[in-house]
């Protein structure tokens, strides 16, 4: 193959089921796409320390991996992995606005070096090596992300709070429940993948991205801007499917493997199934 594709894969709900096992057929499908000469990488909301194991498990040889919803791009070197590009911002204003409205929420920030500070335990988060601090200490330095978890609020409640606080100087994504992930303005998985795309010299719109969450909309829009392919998993919310060019089966049914096998078998095929 002389013109490889850049393939960016979300982790949770795309590569992985909720119990952290892989979606059916994924390792084999990833291997097929890689062996055809394409660049397969990960683009995830996870921090690097929760991502590296899946790079290894899938035997990915990509030079770059996108973490922290695009705020961190890791690069493979002869000496190991380095933090090649890290976007940061001053979190003090955002935290001031949010803590005034969500004083009981749990907060976490990720610093430029990858270390994390948190105010209270966050379920499903890997906090190994993280340090528990007061809310005031979270604002002491530049951060690459702010995570807010408030079990007492649903998605609609978070949307309302975001509107009230006017979080227009940062990028944010709201998760399935009471989960808010805030990145520097203009930073998302799509902006990070574009840096990778440029660095690798990928040609034209030969990009395929796959995801299932609202934090994947940015990379879907980026892929579409290049006339590339953006595949939503079958269980994704309607607004995520609407942002995609294609919809595949859900994660339990091996939707990612279907999309990857389609690429391996028919690189020029436009769709798995057209988004509605």
């Amino acid at each position: 193959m002389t013109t490889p594709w850049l393939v960016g894969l979300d982790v949770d709900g795309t590569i992985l089921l909720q119990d952290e096992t892989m979606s059916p057929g994924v390792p084999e499908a990833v291997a097929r796409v890689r062996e055809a000469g394409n660049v397969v990488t990960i683009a995830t909301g996870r921090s690097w320390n929760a991502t590296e194991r899946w790079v290894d498990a899938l035997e990915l040889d990509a030079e770059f991996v996108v973490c922290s919803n695009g705020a961190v791009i890791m690069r493979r070197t002869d000496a190991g992995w380095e933090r090649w590009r890290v976007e940061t911002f001053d979190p003090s204003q955002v935290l001031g606005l949010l803590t005034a409205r969500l004083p009981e929420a749990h907060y976490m920030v990720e610093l430029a070096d990858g270390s994390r500070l948190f105010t209270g335990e966050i379920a499903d988060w890997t906090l190994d090596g993280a340090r528990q601090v007061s809310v005031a200490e979270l604002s002491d330095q530049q951060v690459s992300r702010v995570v807010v978890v408030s079990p007492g609020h649903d998605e609609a409640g978070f949307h309302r709070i975001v509107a009230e606080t006017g979080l227009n100087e940062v990028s944010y994504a709201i998760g399935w429940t009471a989960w808010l992930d805030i990145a520097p303005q203009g930073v998302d998985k799509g902006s990070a993948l574009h840096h990778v795309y440029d660095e690798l010299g990928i040609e034209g719109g030969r990009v395929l991205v796959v995801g299932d969450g609202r934090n994947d909309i940015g990379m879907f829009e980026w892929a579409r801007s290049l006339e590339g392919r953006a595949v939503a998993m079958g269980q994704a919310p309607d607004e995520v499917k609407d942002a995609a060019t294609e919809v595949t089966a859900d994660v339990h049914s091996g939707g990612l493997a279907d999309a990857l096998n389609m690429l391996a078998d028919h690189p020029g095929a436009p769709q798995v199934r057209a988004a509605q």
Side-chain angles (χ1 to χ4, degrees):
M1 171 177 282
T2 58
T3 53
W5 286 69
L6 172 60
V7 179
L9 307 177
D10 172 50
V11 173
D12 297 286
T14 302
I15 293 173
L16 298 182
L17 305 175
Q18 191 169 7
D19 64 0
E20 296 253 314
T21 59
M22 288 200 199
S23 176
V26 165
E28 297 82 3
V30 166
R32 289 192 66 206
V33 173
R34 283 186 50 239
E35 289 164 4
N38 300 295
V39 178
V40 182
T41 191
I42 285 175
T44 179
R46 291 185 177 213
S47 299
W48 171 241
N49 69 333
T51 302
E52 185 177 12
R53 61 177 292 202
W54 301 111
V55 175
D56 295 339
L58 289 168
E59 299 182 348
L60 300 183
D61 57 2
E63 183 178 358
F64 300 96
V65 174
V66 172
C67 303
S68 303
N69 282 324
V72 176
I73 305 175
M74 301 297 298
R75 185 173 194 170
R76 191 193 305 266
T77 71
D78 291 341
W81 289 94
E82 67 176 13
R83 299 171 77 79
W84 178 64
R85 188 180 182 97
V86 180
E87 307 278 2
T88 61
F89 68 105
D90 180 349
S92 56
Q93 182 179 15
V94 168
L95 286 169
L97 291 168
L98 289 172
T99 54
R101 290 163 174 79
L102 297 169
E104 303 303 320
H106 291 178
Y107 295 84
M108 187 199 77
V109 299
E110 182 176 330
L111 307 182
D113 64 0
S115 59
R116 285 153 297 151
L117 308 176
F118 67 100
T119 63
E121 293 293 333
I122 300 177
D124 300 326
W125 269 78
T126 302
L127 292 173
D128 295 343
R131 182 164 61 90
Q132 189 165 6
V133 300
S134 66
V135 172
E137 290 179 81
L138 294 180
S139 301
D140 285 349
Q141 51 193 310
Q142 297 281 304
V143 305
S144 58
R145 75 195 304 185
V146 174
V147 175
V148 188
V149 177
S150 181
H153 289 80
D154 58 14
E155 180 188 330
F158 254 173
H159 274 293
R160 185 179 63 253
I161 289 167
V162 166
E164 291 173 351
T165 55
L167 292 180
N168 57 358
E169 296 303 319
V170 294
S171 299
Y172 61 87
I174 295 172
W176 293 98
T177 53
W179 180 288
L180 181 61
D181 202 320
I182 302 167
Q185 177 67 19
V187 173
D188 58 28
K189 294 182 184 183
S191 65
L193 284 171
H194 190 72
H195 291 302
V196 175
Y197 173 88
D198 281 347
E199 189 72 13
L200 295 177
I202 301 295
E203 296 181 5
R206 297 179 74 84
V207 297
L208 170 70
V209 295
V210 190
D212 74 313
R214 294 174 182 86
N215 63 334
D216 295 312
I217 291 175
M219 73 173 179
F220 285 6
E221 292 174 342
W222 168 72
R224 293 184 72 151
S225 74
L226 297 173
E227 298 186 354
R229 297 171 57 185
V231 181
M233 298 295 292
Q235 79 279 0
D238 287 344
E239 66 188 280
V240 177
K241 292 178 180 177
D242 290 344
T245 61
E246 313 163 35
V247 178
T248 187
D250 65 37
V251 65
H252 294 282
S253 303
L256 174 56
D258 290 347
L260 293 176
N261 284 323
M262 176 70 78
L263 179 66
D265 292 334
H266 307 287
Q271 298 175 337
V272 176
R273 176 166 66 83
Q276 301 300 311

